[in-house]
């Protein structure tokens, strides 16, 4: 799949793209079917909220056959190759952020590169975060909030938050958020299930708690150029994978029934 010239321009200006209904209901159903079993696994790759609900479940392409295919989906991988003008991308992180009804907690304001750089030794803010909304996301169930263009001035100051998140996250200082949002506003990344989001490593974003009765599950794949691979093994493999094999896109119908047999 190719992004249009207009979409590429928007991505470079805003730092993100929202692609409504890029994946079908059947493709989303294939992804959600495995989740209850994955949540139930006793593994350190399942991070829990303070209330015990699963907050995020990681390393999914190594734990489930459907997730092993979605990380190679051409509607995710090809736009990433196009944006980065690089065909040698490795799978850096694979997860579903759950944000459960009545209990999913905040993700503080941050940009991913702060953590990728300090924790994983990634040299440059090149990685792309590719999301698929697995539930309808509205203003009520904890959408991501993006500050458009917040990547443009270069990385802003951060501090390590070990208190309000379930694992250490480098977060943006409140005065910086106020300055950036005051100048550029905030966009709420909403859409029907199957909508895709693409955002860059320096884009400032976060998400509010989910006190609604509706789940908000989002699949996230981070792809990074092999030439920009992490230099440090501080975090475990499921938080930053060590396998630098370049990802090769599968067929467009790779999530649909029969796809596994065709491989
Ligand atoms: O799932 C969320 O609400 C936040 C996700 C996020 O910040 C990220 O993927 O970097």
């Amino acid at each position: 799949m190719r992004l249009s010239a207009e979409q590429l321009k928007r991505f470079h200006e805003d730092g993100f793209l929202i692609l409504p209904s890029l994946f079908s209901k059947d493709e989303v159903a294939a992804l959600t079917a495995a989740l209850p079993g994955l949540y139930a696994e006793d593994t350190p790759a399942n991070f829990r909220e303070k209330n015990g609900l699963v907050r995020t479940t990681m390393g999914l392409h190594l734990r489930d056959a459907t997730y092993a295919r979605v990380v190679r989906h051409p509607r995710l991988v090809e736009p990433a190759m196009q944006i980065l003008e690089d065909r040698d991308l490795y799978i850096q992180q694979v997860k579903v952020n759950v944000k459960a009804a009545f209990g999913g907690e905040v993700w503080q304001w941050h940009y991913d590169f702060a953590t990728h750089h300090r924790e994983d030794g990634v040299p440059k803010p090149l990685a792309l975060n590719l999301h698929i909304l697995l539930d309808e996301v509205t203003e009520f169930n904890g959408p991501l909030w993006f500050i458009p263009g917040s990547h443009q001035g270069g990385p802003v100051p951060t501090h390590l938050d070990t208190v309000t998140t379930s694992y250490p996250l480098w977060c943006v200082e409140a005065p910086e958020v106020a300055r950036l949002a005051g100048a550029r506003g905030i966009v709420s990344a909403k859409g029907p299930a199957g909508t895709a989001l693409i955002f860059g490593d320096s884009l400032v974003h976060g998400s509010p708690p989910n006190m609604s009765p509706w789940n908000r599950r989002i699949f996230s794949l981070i792809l990074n150029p092999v030439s920009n691979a992490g230099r440090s093994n501080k975090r475990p493999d499921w938080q930053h994978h060590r396998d630098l094999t370049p990802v090769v896109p599968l067929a467009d119908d790779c999530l649909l029934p029969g796809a596994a047999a065709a491989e």
Side-chain angles (χ1 to χ4, degrees), residues 6-192:
E6 174 57 27
Q7 286 172 320
L8 278 178
K9 183 165 173 280
R10 283 258 68 79
F11 176 84
H12 289 299
E13 277 175 26
D14 293 341
F16 67 89
L17 280 177
I18 301 175
L19 304 169
S21 302
L22 188 67
F23 290 84
S24 69
K25 283 196 170 62
D26 288 348
E27 290 170 320
V28 169
L31 291 167
T32 54
L35 287 177
L38 291 162
Y39 298 165
E41 286 177 7
D42 183 14
T43 162
N46 284 347
F47 293 79
R48 293 185 183 275
E49 306 280 14
K50 294 194 178 84
N51 58 22
L53 295 170
V54 173
R55 174 182 174 90
T56 185
T57 177
M58 291 190 168
L60 297 181
H61 61 311
L62 305 177
R63 297 166 57 193
D64 179 83
T66 305
Y67 285 91
R69 291 198 293 279
V70 73
V71 294
R72 293 179 283 159
H73 201 291
R75 275 174 255 151
L76 299 178
V77 176
E78 288 172 2
M81 289 174 166
Q82 190 185 356
I83 288 171
L84 292 167
E85 298 178 8
D86 192 334
R87 295 194 68 79
D88 286 341
L89 309 181
Y90 72 98
I91 295 167
Q92 181 176 311
Q93 196 185 69
V94 180
K95 61 187 182 286
V96 167
N97 285 342
V98 178
K99 201 164 287 220
F102 294 119
E105 279 300 343
V106 65
W107 288 84
Q108 300 289 358
W109 288 107
H110 68 285
Y111 55 94
D112 296 347
F113 181 64
T115 299
H116 297 161
H117 184 59
R118 290 177 184 262
E119 303 296 326
D120 306 324
V122 171
K124 294 186 198 155
L126 300 177
L128 293 176
N129 202 330
L130 304 133
H131 282 192
I132 305 172
L133 309 187
L134 301 180
D135 294 297
E136 181 181 12
V137 177
T138 68
E139 64 270 45
F140 301 115
N141 61 352
L144 265 85
W145 289 347
F146 293 141
I147 302 184
S150 52
H151 62 303
Q152 281 178 4
V156 293
T158 52
H159 64 276
L160 184 62
D161 178 11
T162 54
V163 177
T164 66
T165 64
S166 51
Y167 59 83
L169 189 68
W170 287 88
C171 295
V172 178
E173 309 286 350
E176 283 299 325
V177 174
R179 180 181 68 76
L180 290 165
R184 303 171 187 272
I186 297 175
V187 169
S188 191
K190 298 181 289 191

